[in-house]
mmCIF file of all heavy atoms in Angstrom:
data_model
loop_
_atom_site.group_PDB
_atom_site.id
_atom_site.type_symbol
_atom_site.label_atom_id
_atom_site.label_comp_id
_atom_site.label_asym_id
_atom_site.label_seq_id
_atom_site.Cartn_x
_atom_site.Cartn_y
_atom_site.Cartn_z
ATOM 1 N N PRO A 10 -12.301 10.606 -3.985
ATOM 2 C CA PRO A 10 -13.286 11.521 -3.417
ATOM 3 C C PRO A 10 -14.139 12.158 -4.502
ATOM 4 O O PRO A 10 -13.667 12.439 -5.609
ATOM 5 C CB PRO A 10 -12.414 12.568 -2.710
ATOM 6 C CG PRO A 10 -11.087 12.510 -3.388
ATOM 7 C CD PRO A 10 -10.918 11.085 -3.822
ATOM 8 N N ALA A 11 -15.408 12.375 -4.186
ATOM 9 C CA ALA A 11 -16.302 13.048 -5.126
ATOM 10 C C ALA A 11 -15.964 14.525 -5.230
ATOM 11 O O ALA A 11 -16.062 15.130 -6.308
ATOM 12 C CB ALA A 11 -17.756 12.861 -4.680
ATOM 13 N N THR A 12 -15.556 15.109 -4.127
ATOM 14 C CA THR A 12 -15.116 16.505 -4.102
ATOM 15 C C THR A 12 -13.921 16.609 -3.166
ATOM 16 O O THR A 12 -13.660 15.726 -2.362
ATOM 17 C CB THR A 12 -16.228 17.444 -3.607
ATOM 18 O OG1 THR A 12 -16.613 17.056 -2.279
ATOM 19 C CG2 THR A 12 -17.441 17.381 -4.527
ATOM 20 N N GLY A 13 -13.184 17.701 -3.267
ATOM 21 C CA GLY A 13 -12.022 17.907 -2.420
ATOM 22 C C GLY A 13 -10.764 17.321 -3.028
ATOM 23 O O GLY A 13 -10.770 16.797 -4.148
ATOM 24 N N GLU A 14 -9.679 17.395 -2.291
ATOM 25 C CA GLU A 14 -8.375 16.973 -2.795
ATOM 26 C C GLU A 14 -7.586 16.260 -1.714
ATOM 27 O O GLU A 14 -7.654 16.600 -0.540
ATOM 28 C CB GLU A 14 -7.584 18.204 -3.265
ATOM 29 C CG GLU A 14 -6.259 17.901 -3.931
ATOM 30 C CD GLU A 14 -6.422 17.319 -5.333
ATOM 31 O OE1 GLU A 14 -6.581 16.080 -5.419
ATOM 32 O OE2 GLU A 14 -6.404 18.085 -6.306
ATOM 33 N N LEU A 15 -6.825 15.231 -2.147
ATOM 34 C CA LEU A 15 -5.860 14.555 -1.297
ATOM 35 C C LEU A 15 -4.468 14.964 -1.738
ATOM 36 O O LEU A 15 -4.149 14.929 -2.931
ATOM 37 C CB LEU A 15 -6.020 13.040 -1.404
ATOM 38 C CG LEU A 15 -7.368 12.468 -0.958
ATOM 39 C CD1 LEU A 15 -7.470 11.002 -1.349
ATOM 40 C CD2 LEU A 15 -7.539 12.625 0.545
ATOM 41 N N VAL A 16 -3.628 15.333 -0.768
ATOM 42 C CA VAL A 16 -2.294 15.839 -1.072
ATOM 43 C C VAL A 16 -1.275 15.039 -0.273
ATOM 44 O O VAL A 16 -1.390 14.906 0.950
ATOM 45 C CB VAL A 16 -2.180 17.342 -0.734
ATOM 46 C CG1 VAL A 16 -0.770 17.845 -1.020
ATOM 47 C CG2 VAL A 16 -3.205 18.140 -1.530
ATOM 48 N N LEU A 17 -0.269 14.508 -0.971
ATOM 49 C CA LEU A 17 0.803 13.738 -0.346
ATOM 50 C C LEU A 17 2.129 14.415 -0.647
ATOM 51 O O LEU A 17 2.488 14.583 -1.819
ATOM 52 C CB LEU A 17 0.802 12.298 -0.875
ATOM 53 C CG LEU A 17 1.913 11.380 -0.369
ATOM 54 C CD1 LEU A 17 1.840 11.203 1.135
ATOM 55 C CD2 LEU A 17 1.844 10.018 -1.074
ATOM 56 N N ASP A 18 2.827 14.810 0.398
ATOM 57 C CA ASP A 18 4.128 15.482 0.248
ATOM 58 C C ASP A 18 4.059 16.635 -0.749
ATOM 59 O O ASP A 18 4.937 16.818 -1.594
ATOM 60 C CB ASP A 18 5.189 14.467 -0.189
ATOM 61 C CG ASP A 18 5.430 13.387 0.854
ATOM 62 O OD1 ASP A 18 5.169 13.642 2.040
ATOM 63 O OD2 ASP A 18 5.871 12.288 0.475
ATOM 64 N N GLY A 19 2.965 17.388 -0.664
ATOM 65 C CA GLY A 19 2.832 18.596 -1.476
ATOM 66 C C GLY A 19 2.298 18.386 -2.876
ATOM 67 O O GLY A 19 2.130 19.360 -3.616
ATOM 68 N N GLN A 20 1.994 17.139 -3.262
ATOM 69 C CA GLN A 20 1.478 16.849 -4.600
ATOM 70 C C GLN A 20 0.153 16.110 -4.500
ATOM 71 O O GLN A 20 -0.081 15.369 -3.539
ATOM 72 C CB GLN A 20 2.472 15.989 -5.377
ATOM 73 C CG GLN A 20 3.843 16.615 -5.577
ATOM 74 C CD GLN A 20 4.748 15.710 -6.387
ATOM 75 O OE1 GLN A 20 4.402 15.281 -7.489
ATOM 76 N NE2 GLN A 20 5.906 15.396 -5.837
ATOM 77 N N PRO A 21 -0.723 16.269 -5.513
ATOM 78 C CA PRO A 21 -1.986 15.524 -5.485
ATOM 79 C C PRO A 21 -1.728 14.019 -5.437
ATOM 80 O O PRO A 21 -0.864 13.509 -6.155
ATOM 81 C CB PRO A 21 -2.656 15.930 -6.800
ATOM 82 C CG PRO A 21 -2.045 17.247 -7.154
ATOM 83 C CD PRO A 21 -0.632 17.177 -6.667
ATOM 84 N N LEU A 22 -2.460 13.320 -4.600
ATOM 85 C CA LEU A 22 -2.267 11.874 -4.475
ATOM 86 C C LEU A 22 -2.507 11.175 -5.804
ATOM 87 O O LEU A 22 -1.836 10.183 -6.118
ATOM 88 C CB LEU A 22 -3.216 11.320 -3.403
ATOM 89 C CG LEU A 22 -3.078 9.828 -3.088
ATOM 90 C CD1 LEU A 22 -1.737 9.543 -2.426
ATOM 91 C CD2 LEU A 22 -4.215 9.359 -2.181
ATOM 92 N N ARG A 23 -3.422 11.678 -6.615
ATOM 93 C CA ARG A 23 -3.728 11.039 -7.901
ATOM 94 C C ARG A 23 -2.561 11.096 -8.878
ATOM 95 O O ARG A 23 -2.558 10.378 -9.881
ATOM 96 C CB ARG A 23 -4.970 11.691 -8.530
ATOM 97 C CG ARG A 23 -4.911 13.204 -8.571
ATOM 98 C CD ARG A 23 -6.230 13.821 -9.049
ATOM 99 N NE ARG A 23 -6.337 15.214 -8.672
ATOM 100 C CZ ARG A 23 -5.726 16.201 -9.265
ATOM 101 N NH1 ARG A 23 -4.932 15.965 -10.303
ATOM 102 N NH2 ARG A 23 -5.883 17.448 -8.848
ATOM 103 N N ALA A 24 -1.553 11.927 -8.588
ATOM 104 C CA ALA A 24 -0.389 12.024 -9.471
ATOM 105 C C ALA A 24 0.615 10.901 -9.234
ATOM 106 O O ALA A 24 1.533 10.705 -10.034
ATOM 107 C CB ALA A 24 0.292 13.374 -9.278
ATOM 108 N N PHE A 25 0.446 10.129 -8.140
ATOM 109 C CA PHE A 25 1.384 9.068 -7.796
ATOM 110 C C PHE A 25 0.915 7.734 -8.364
ATOM 111 O O PHE A 25 -0.287 7.453 -8.409
ATOM 112 C CB PHE A 25 1.518 8.927 -6.273
ATOM 113 C CG PHE A 25 2.206 10.077 -5.591
ATOM 114 C CD1 PHE A 25 1.496 11.209 -5.215
ATOM 115 C CD2 PHE A 25 3.564 10.017 -5.316
ATOM 116 C CE1 PHE A 25 2.118 12.262 -4.578
ATOM 117 C CE2 PHE A 25 4.200 11.070 -4.680
ATOM 118 C CZ PHE A 25 3.483 12.191 -4.310
ATOM 119 N N SER A 26 1.865 6.890 -8.768
ATOM 120 C CA SER A 26 1.544 5.522 -9.152
ATOM 121 C C SER A 26 1.225 4.711 -7.899
ATOM 122 O O SER A 26 1.537 5.116 -6.771
ATOM 123 C CB SER A 26 2.718 4.883 -9.890
ATOM 124 O OG SER A 26 3.819 4.695 -8.996
ATOM 125 N N ARG A 27 0.619 3.524 -8.095
ATOM 126 C CA ARG A 27 0.311 2.680 -6.946
ATOM 127 C C ARG A 27 1.576 2.263 -6.210
ATOM 128 O O ARG A 27 1.600 2.211 -4.984
ATOM 129 C CB ARG A 27 -0.461 1.427 -7.402
ATOM 130 C CG ARG A 27 -1.879 1.674 -7.852
ATOM 131 C CD ARG A 27 -2.702 2.420 -6.829
ATOM 132 N NE ARG A 27 -2.714 1.796 -5.514
ATOM 133 C CZ ARG A 27 -3.252 2.345 -4.427
ATOM 134 N NH1 ARG A 27 -3.787 3.550 -4.486
ATOM 135 N NH2 ARG A 27 -3.247 1.706 -3.264
ATOM 136 N N ARG A 28 2.647 1.979 -6.937
ATOM 137 C CA ARG A 28 3.892 1.586 -6.267
ATOM 138 C C ARG A 28 4.467 2.757 -5.482
ATOM 139 O O ARG A 28 4.962 2.575 -4.364
ATOM 140 C CB ARG A 28 4.905 1.072 -7.293
ATOM 141 C CG ARG A 28 6.276 0.804 -6.681
ATOM 142 C CD ARG A 28 7.176 -0.005 -7.582
ATOM 143 N NE ARG A 28 6.757 -1.392 -7.626
ATOM 144 C CZ ARG A 28 7.563 -2.389 -8.011
ATOM 145 N NH1 ARG A 28 8.799 -2.142 -8.378
ATOM 146 N NH2 ARG A 28 7.125 -3.625 -8.023
ATOM 147 N N ALA A 29 4.404 3.951 -6.041
ATOM 148 C CA ALA A 29 4.907 5.129 -5.334
ATOM 149 C C ALA A 29 4.098 5.382 -4.064
ATOM 150 O O ALA A 29 4.651 5.760 -3.023
ATOM 151 C CB ALA A 29 4.863 6.350 -6.248
ATOM 152 N N ILE A 30 2.783 5.164 -4.132
ATOM 153 C CA ILE A 30 1.949 5.319 -2.935
ATOM 154 C C ILE A 30 2.331 4.269 -1.900
ATOM 155 O O ILE A 30 2.438 4.562 -0.707
ATOM 156 C CB ILE A 30 0.457 5.213 -3.306
ATOM 157 C CG1 ILE A 30 0.029 6.436 -4.126
ATOM 158 C CG2 ILE A 30 -0.407 5.093 -2.051
ATOM 159 C CD1 ILE A 30 -1.390 6.357 -4.657
ATOM 160 N N ALA A 31 2.570 3.028 -2.350
ATOM 161 C CA ALA A 31 2.909 1.946 -1.427
ATOM 162 C C ALA A 31 4.229 2.200 -0.705
ATOM 163 O O ALA A 31 4.449 1.687 0.403
ATOM 164 C CB ALA A 31 2.972 0.625 -2.187
ATOM 165 N N ARG A 32 5.120 2.962 -1.310
ATOM 166 C CA ARG A 32 6.376 3.299 -0.647
ATOM 167 C C ARG A 32 6.191 4.357 0.432
ATOM 168 O O ARG A 32 7.016 4.472 1.331
ATOM 169 C CB ARG A 32 7.391 3.804 -1.676
ATOM 170 C CG ARG A 32 7.889 2.735 -2.623
ATOM 171 C CD ARG A 32 8.842 3.334 -3.645
ATOM 172 N NE ARG A 32 9.418 2.304 -4.497
ATOM 173 C CZ ARG A 32 10.267 2.551 -5.499
ATOM 174 N NH1 ARG A 32 10.631 3.801 -5.753
ATOM 175 N NH2 ARG A 32 10.745 1.563 -6.220
ATOM 176 N N ARG A 33 5.125 5.123 0.322
ATOM 177 C CA ARG A 33 4.909 6.248 1.227
ATOM 178 C C ARG A 33 3.799 6.020 2.237
ATOM 179 O O ARG A 33 3.774 6.653 3.294
ATOM 180 C CB ARG A 33 4.604 7.505 0.395
ATOM 181 C CG ARG A 33 5.775 7.979 -0.447
ATOM 182 C CD ARG A 33 5.329 8.992 -1.494
ATOM 183 N NE ARG A 33 6.460 9.570 -2.213
ATOM 184 C CZ ARG A 33 7.065 8.982 -3.236
ATOM 185 N NH1 ARG A 33 6.642 7.788 -3.677
ATOM 186 N NH2 ARG A 33 8.085 9.565 -3.837
ATOM 187 N N ILE A 34 2.836 5.156 1.884
ATOM 188 C CA ILE A 34 1.679 4.912 2.748
ATOM 189 C C ILE A 34 1.535 3.409 2.951
ATOM 190 O O ILE A 34 1.453 2.655 1.987
ATOM 191 C CB ILE A 34 0.383 5.468 2.130
ATOM 192 C CG1 ILE A 34 0.502 6.975 1.868
ATOM 193 C CG2 ILE A 34 -0.806 5.186 3.048
ATOM 194 C CD1 ILE A 34 -0.697 7.558 1.128
ATOM 195 N N ALA A 35 1.501 2.979 4.205
ATOM 196 C CA ALA A 35 1.309 1.564 4.531
ATOM 197 C C ALA A 35 -0.006 1.407 5.270
ATOM 198 O O ALA A 35 -0.363 2.234 6.112
ATOM 199 C CB ALA A 35 2.461 1.040 5.382
ATOM 200 N N VAL A 36 -0.726 0.327 4.949
ATOM 201 C CA VAL A 36 -2.060 0.109 5.500
ATOM 202 C C VAL A 36 -2.069 -1.148 6.365
ATOM 203 O O VAL A 36 -1.528 -2.188 5.972
ATOM 204 C CB VAL A 36 -3.106 -0.027 4.380
ATOM 205 C CG1 VAL A 36 -4.489 -0.284 4.973
ATOM 206 C CG2 VAL A 36 -3.119 1.231 3.515
ATOM 207 N N VAL A 37 -2.696 -1.040 7.517
ATOM 208 C CA VAL A 37 -2.958 -2.202 8.371
ATOM 209 C C VAL A 37 -4.461 -2.434 8.345
ATOM 210 O O VAL A 37 -5.225 -1.667 8.938
ATOM 211 C CB VAL A 37 -2.473 -1.976 9.812
ATOM 212 C CG1 VAL A 37 -2.848 -3.165 10.690
ATOM 213 C CG2 VAL A 37 -0.969 -1.765 9.831
ATOM 214 N N ALA A 38 -4.890 -3.465 7.616
ATOM 215 C CA ALA A 38 -6.308 -3.781 7.522
ATOM 216 C C ALA A 38 -6.740 -4.616 8.726
ATOM 217 O O ALA A 38 -5.909 -5.122 9.485
ATOM 218 C CB ALA A 38 -6.594 -4.528 6.224
ATOM 219 N N GLN A 39 -8.057 -4.784 8.881
ATOM 220 C CA GLN A 39 -8.559 -5.544 10.026
ATOM 221 C C GLN A 39 -8.196 -7.016 9.942
ATOM 222 O O GLN A 39 -8.009 -7.678 10.942
ATOM 223 C CB GLN A 39 -10.084 -5.398 10.118
ATOM 224 C CG GLN A 39 -10.536 -4.009 10.511
ATOM 225 C CD GLN A 39 -12.015 -3.947 10.785
ATOM 226 O OE1 GLN A 39 -12.575 -4.806 11.444
ATOM 227 N NE2 GLN A 39 -12.670 -2.925 10.266
ATOM 228 N N GLU A 40 -8.095 -7.553 8.738
ATOM 229 C CA GLU A 40 -7.807 -8.982 8.578
ATOM 230 C C GLU A 40 -7.044 -9.186 7.290
ATOM 231 O O GLU A 40 -7.365 -8.607 6.263
ATOM 232 C CB GLU A 40 -9.102 -9.794 8.547
ATOM 233 C CG GLU A 40 -8.902 -11.302 8.481
ATOM 234 C CD GLU A 40 -8.228 -11.863 9.726
ATOM 235 O OE1 GLU A 40 -8.633 -11.523 10.838
ATOM 236 O OE2 GLU A 40 -7.262 -12.645 9.567
ATOM 237 N N ALA A 41 -5.985 -9.997 7.341
ATOM 238 C CA ALA A 41 -5.193 -10.270 6.149
ATOM 239 C C ALA A 41 -5.967 -11.179 5.205
ATOM 240 O O ALA A 41 -6.588 -12.146 5.624
ATOM 241 C CB ALA A 41 -3.870 -10.932 6.535
ATOM 242 N N GLU A 42 -5.932 -10.843 3.915
ATOM 243 C CA GLU A 42 -6.553 -11.686 2.899
ATOM 244 C C GLU A 42 -5.481 -12.605 2.327
ATOM 245 O O GLU A 42 -4.512 -12.144 1.721
ATOM 246 C CB GLU A 42 -7.153 -10.834 1.783
ATOM 247 C CG GLU A 42 -7.827 -11.650 0.701
ATOM 248 C CD GLU A 42 -8.398 -10.788 -0.414
ATOM 249 O OE1 GLU A 42 -8.425 -9.562 -0.249
ATOM 250 O OE2 GLU A 42 -8.803 -11.348 -1.441
ATOM 251 N N LEU A 43 -5.642 -13.900 2.525
ATOM 252 C CA LEU A 43 -4.634 -14.870 2.113
ATOM 253 C C LEU A 43 -5.229 -15.827 1.086
ATOM 254 O O LEU A 43 -6.092 -16.635 1.408
ATOM 255 C CB LEU A 43 -4.120 -15.645 3.329
ATOM 256 C CG LEU A 43 -3.436 -14.798 4.405
ATOM 257 C CD1 LEU A 43 -3.139 -15.651 5.613
ATOM 258 C CD2 LEU A 43 -2.183 -14.158 3.864
ATOM 259 N N ARG A 44 -4.783 -15.710 -0.138
ATOM 260 C CA ARG A 44 -5.296 -16.578 -1.195
ATOM 261 C C ARG A 44 -4.479 -17.856 -1.322
ATOM 262 O O ARG A 44 -4.916 -18.815 -1.927
ATOM 263 C CB ARG A 44 -5.310 -15.816 -2.530
ATOM 264 C CG ARG A 44 -6.225 -14.594 -2.500
ATOM 265 C CD ARG A 44 -6.281 -13.895 -3.836
ATOM 266 N NE ARG A 44 -7.152 -12.725 -3.782
ATOM 267 C CZ ARG A 44 -7.366 -11.909 -4.809
ATOM 268 N NH1 ARG A 44 -6.770 -12.135 -5.974
ATOM 269 N NH2 ARG A 44 -8.166 -10.864 -4.683
ATOM 270 N N PHE A 45 -3.286 -17.850 -0.787
ATOM 271 C CA PHE A 45 -2.471 -19.061 -0.778
ATOM 272 C C PHE A 45 -1.586 -19.011 0.457
ATOM 273 O O PHE A 45 -1.274 -17.935 0.962
ATOM 274 C CB PHE A 45 -1.642 -19.186 -2.057
ATOM 275 C CG PHE A 45 -0.825 -17.956 -2.377
ATOM 276 C CD1 PHE A 45 0.456 -17.805 -1.860
ATOM 277 C CD2 PHE A 45 -1.336 -16.951 -3.194
ATOM 278 C CE1 PHE A 45 1.205 -16.679 -2.148
ATOM 279 C CE2 PHE A 45 -0.578 -15.819 -3.480
ATOM 280 C CZ PHE A 45 0.689 -15.688 -2.968
ATOM 281 N N PRO A 46 -1.184 -20.174 0.975
ATOM 282 C CA PRO A 46 -0.435 -20.191 2.234
ATOM 283 C C PRO A 46 0.989 -19.660 2.077
ATOM 284 O O PRO A 46 1.715 -20.054 1.164
ATOM 285 C CB PRO A 46 -0.442 -21.672 2.627
ATOM 286 C CG PRO A 46 -0.642 -22.411 1.352
ATOM 287 C CD PRO A 46 -1.495 -21.533 0.492
ATOM 288 N N VAL A 47 1.362 -18.769 2.957
ATOM 289 C CA VAL A 47 2.731 -18.262 3.032
ATOM 290 C C VAL A 47 3.137 -18.264 4.491
ATOM 291 O O VAL A 47 2.286 -18.217 5.391
ATOM 292 C CB VAL A 47 2.874 -16.843 2.451
ATOM 293 C CG1 VAL A 47 2.594 -16.832 0.960
ATOM 294 C CG2 VAL A 47 1.954 -15.858 3.184
ATOM 295 N N THR A 48 4.422 -18.312 4.752
ATOM 296 C CA THR A 48 4.884 -18.238 6.130
ATOM 297 C C THR A 48 4.795 -16.801 6.630
ATOM 298 O O THR A 48 4.679 -15.848 5.848
ATOM 299 C CB THR A 48 6.337 -18.714 6.254
ATOM 300 O OG1 THR A 48 7.195 -17.785 5.564
ATOM 301 C CG2 THR A 48 6.519 -20.117 5.691
ATOM 302 N N VAL A 49 4.847 -16.656 7.937
ATOM 303 C CA VAL A 49 4.834 -15.326 8.535
ATOM 304 C C VAL A 49 6.010 -14.505 8.014
ATOM 305 O O VAL A 49 5.860 -13.327 7.659
ATOM 306 C CB VAL A 49 4.877 -15.430 10.074
ATOM 307 C CG1 VAL A 49 5.078 -14.062 10.709
ATOM 308 C CG2 VAL A 49 3.600 -16.086 10.597
ATOM 309 N N PHE A 50 7.187 -15.132 7.916
ATOM 310 C CA PHE A 50 8.363 -14.409 7.416
ATOM 311 C C PHE A 50 8.126 -13.932 5.986
ATOM 312 O O PHE A 50 8.409 -12.768 5.661
ATOM 313 C CB PHE A 50 9.600 -15.301 7.470
ATOM 314 C CG PHE A 50 10.875 -14.586 7.104
ATOM 315 C CD1 PHE A 50 11.646 -13.975 8.080
ATOM 316 C CD2 PHE A 50 11.307 -14.493 5.783
ATOM 317 C CE1 PHE A 50 12.821 -13.302 7.762
ATOM 318 C CE2 PHE A 50 12.463 -13.816 5.453
ATOM 319 C CZ PHE A 50 13.226 -13.221 6.444
ATOM 320 N N GLU A 51 7.608 -14.794 5.135
ATOM 321 C CA GLU A 51 7.373 -14.423 3.733
ATOM 322 C C GLU A 51 6.324 -13.319 3.624
ATOM 323 O O GLU A 51 6.448 -12.412 2.798
ATOM 324 C CB GLU A 51 6.927 -15.645 2.939
ATOM 325 C CG GLU A 51 8.017 -16.690 2.753
ATOM 326 C CD GLU A 51 7.475 -18.015 2.262
ATOM 327 O OE1 GLU A 51 6.264 -18.292 2.469
ATOM 328 O OE2 GLU A 51 8.263 -18.796 1.687
ATOM 329 N N PHE A 52 5.291 -13.414 4.465
ATOM 330 C CA PHE A 52 4.236 -12.406 4.441
ATOM 331 C C PHE A 52 4.783 -11.034 4.816
ATOM 332 O O PHE A 52 4.507 -10.026 4.153
ATOM 333 C CB PHE A 52 3.106 -12.808 5.388
ATOM 334 C CG PHE A 52 1.994 -11.814 5.461
ATOM 335 C CD1 PHE A 52 1.026 -11.749 4.467
ATOM 336 C CD2 PHE A 52 1.888 -10.942 6.538
ATOM 337 C CE1 PHE A 52 -0.008 -10.828 4.535
ATOM 338 C CE2 PHE A 52 0.864 -10.014 6.617
ATOM 339 C CZ PHE A 52 -0.088 -9.956 5.612
ATOM 340 N N VAL A 53 5.558 -10.975 5.888
ATOM 341 C CA VAL A 53 6.121 -9.693 6.327
ATOM 342 C C VAL A 53 7.144 -9.185 5.309
ATOM 343 O O VAL A 53 7.157 -7.994 4.970
ATOM 344 C CB VAL A 53 6.752 -9.836 7.726
ATOM 345 C CG1 VAL A 53 7.440 -8.540 8.148
ATOM 346 C CG2 VAL A 53 5.685 -10.231 8.746
ATOM 347 N N LEU A 54 7.974 -10.063 4.802
ATOM 348 C CA LEU A 54 8.953 -9.679 3.781
ATOM 349 C C LEU A 54 8.273 -9.060 2.567
ATOM 350 O O LEU A 54 8.822 -8.150 1.932
ATOM 351 C CB LEU A 54 9.768 -10.901 3.356
ATOM 352 C CG LEU A 54 10.803 -10.709 2.235
ATOM 353 C CD1 LEU A 54 11.887 -9.721 2.661
ATOM 354 C CD2 LEU A 54 11.416 -12.056 1.857
ATOM 355 N N GLY A 55 7.056 -9.501 2.260
ATOM 356 C CA GLY A 55 6.325 -8.953 1.126
ATOM 357 C C GLY A 55 6.072 -7.464 1.225
ATOM 358 O O GLY A 55 5.824 -6.796 0.209
ATOM 359 N N GLY A 56 6.149 -6.909 2.442
ATOM 360 C CA GLY A 56 5.998 -5.476 2.602
ATOM 361 C C GLY A 56 7.120 -4.679 1.961
ATOM 362 O O GLY A 56 6.976 -3.476 1.724
ATOM 363 N N ARG A 57 8.232 -5.335 1.661
ATOM 364 C CA ARG A 57 9.366 -4.659 1.018
ATOM 365 C C ARG A 57 9.250 -4.646 -0.510
ATOM 366 O O ARG A 57 10.081 -4.057 -1.188
ATOM 367 C CB ARG A 57 10.670 -5.379 1.410
ATOM 368 C CG ARG A 57 10.969 -5.410 2.889
ATOM 369 C CD ARG A 57 11.381 -4.067 3.439
ATOM 370 N NE ARG A 57 12.517 -3.515 2.734
ATOM 371 C CZ ARG A 57 13.021 -2.296 2.948
ATOM 372 N NH1 ARG A 57 12.467 -1.517 3.857
ATOM 373 N NH2 ARG A 57 14.049 -1.853 2.266
#
């Protein structure tokens, strides 16, 4: 953001690493970007 603040669990979001954010915030995009073929099981497992 150009101005204002984002706060996650009482701390600024910018203080978290990308992996720490991924453990706390999950995103469902409009379309999956697939650069190589994976099975549905492998794709979903990747969320872990």
Side-chain angles (χ1 to χ4, degrees):
T12 60
E14 185 73 274
L15 298 170
V16 178
L17 177 62
D18 296 335
Q20 300 182 54
L22 184 67
R23 50 187 161 77
F25 291 85
S26 68
R27 289 307 306 173
R28 173 166 286 200
I30 291 174
R32 291 178 175 179
R33 294 166 174 82
I34 302 174
V36 179
V37 176
Q39 291 188 44
E40 184 65 47
E42 181 181 350
L43 299 173
R44 298 183 180 179
F45 52 88
V47 295
T48 67
V49 171
F50 186 91
E51 291 166 337
F52 178 79
V53 175
L54 177 63
R57 300 288 304 175

